[in-house]
Amino acid sequence: MLNLVISGAPGCGKGTQSALIIEKYHLIHFSTGELLRTEINLGTPLGIEAGEYINKGNLVPDEMIIDIITNAIHNLCKTCPGIIFDGFPRTVEQAEALEKLMNGLGIPVSAMIELKVPDRDLMNRLLIRGETSGRTDDNLETIKKRLDVFKSKTAPVTDYYSSLDKYHSIDGVGTLDEVFERICDVLDTEML
Ligand code: AP5
Ligand code: MG
């Protein structure tokens, strides 16, 4: 099984590249951001609570996210070719919980890839997307906050995966195909 974590700052291309990866490697896509946006759109209690954090560019509390992931993983097919975690884990606490969960199920995380993109490009990408996305967090003030939160809370997750020898840094600047080719190089090595 190929169980992959795709990480990186807001706008680095996690969702875009996940779509390409899923198509080629037949993985199940698991995006905590998309899952939370669905709950917000449905107006569920979870969505209402999560929305208060997301609209300010803050992270949703670890306990909430870890509960969601734990329930979802138990419902996923264990014989599927693998899972891609997009935008999760976002804190060291979440990473530790995921490691414990997946190891306990005998389906460990294979690799973590981080897409590296300079802040200036991230800002441009998200502001452009914000013109049409309808995402309440795609505005200048919230984007700045999301980038700060990434640096303080999520960047340390790379050290965690480095210590497990699972971390791969990938240049996320270039055309979609160029970035995808770099990812495939890493994945094909992991799958050998
Ligand atoms: P989430 O939905 O994960 O958003 P994010 O991390 O802020 O990232 P985005 O989805 O905005 O960007 P992306 O990296 O997927 O890039 P994309 O492919 O879309 O999380 C949202 C919020 O939910 C968080 O802030 C938090 O509040 C909460 N949350 C989620 N998970 C959580 C967790 N685990 N714990 C706690 N809270 C959590 O690309 C962006 C744009 O760039 C697109 O327009 C795309 O077309 C363009 N683009 C992509 N690739 C390229 C390229 N190579 N060149 C030029 N443009 C490109
Ligand atoms: Mg995304």
Side-chain angles (χ1 to χ4, degrees), residues 4-182:
L4 187 68
V5 169
I6 186 161
S7 185
C12 69
K14 300 184 291 295
T16 306
Q17 292 298 329
S18 289
L20 300 174
I21 295 167
I22 287 156
E23 201 180 355
K24 177 164 176 187
Y25 298 94
H26 311 291
L27 307 184
I28 292 179
H29 186 210
F30 202 93
S31 159
T32 41
E34 279 178 23
L35 193 146
L36 294 169
R37 280 188 288 280
T38 303
E39 297 287 333
I40 291 172
N41 291 337
L42 291 171
T44 64
L46 172 66
I48 292 166
E49 194 180 344
E52 288 174 19
Y53 296 95
I54 292 175
N55 293 343
K56 292 185 187 135
N58 288 317
L59 295 185
V60 172
D62 283 339
E63 313 81 70
M64 247 171 104
I65 293 287
I66 292 168
D67 270 1
I68 292 171
I69 290 284
T70 306
N71 290 332
I73 299 285
H74 284 108
N75 291 328
L76 286 177
C77 170
K78 284 188 200 158
T79 55
C80 71
I83 305 166
I84 180 162
F85 294 100
D86 163 358
F88 171 86
R90 261 177 146 92
T91 62
V92 173
E93 287 72 17
Q94 291 181 16
E96 287 171 347
L98 181 65
E99 201 63 13
K100 197 169 152 199
L101 180 65
M102 299 296 274
N103 288 344
L105 291 169
I107 49 171
V109 170
S110 323
M112 184 266 216
I113 56 176
E114 181 185 22
L115 299 176
K116 301 279 259 189
V117 176
D119 280 4
R120 192 191 57 241
D121 300 78
L122 295 170
M123 193 70 93
N124 282 341
R125 288 183 189 184
L126 293 177
L127 287 173
I128 291 169
R129 188 181 68 186
E131 290 167 13
T132 54
S133 69
R135 270 180 62 164
T136 50
D137 56 352
D138 277 349
N139 58 75
L140 186 60
E141 193 189 344
T142 313
I143 293 168
K144 279 185 185 160
K145 175 72 179 175
R146 285 158 67 196
L147 292 176
D148 285 347
V149 169
F150 174 79
K151 282 171 197 153
S152 60
K153 301 267 176 61
T154 308
V157 174
T158 59
D159 292 337
Y160 177 77
Y161 283 107
S162 290
S163 75
L164 300 177
D165 212 15
K166 294 182 179 179
Y167 174 70
H168 302 269
S169 171
I170 289 179
D171 178 3
V173 179
T175 65
L176 301 194
D177 287 345
E178 282 166 350
V179 177
F180 184 52
E181 208 176 303
R182 291 173 203 143

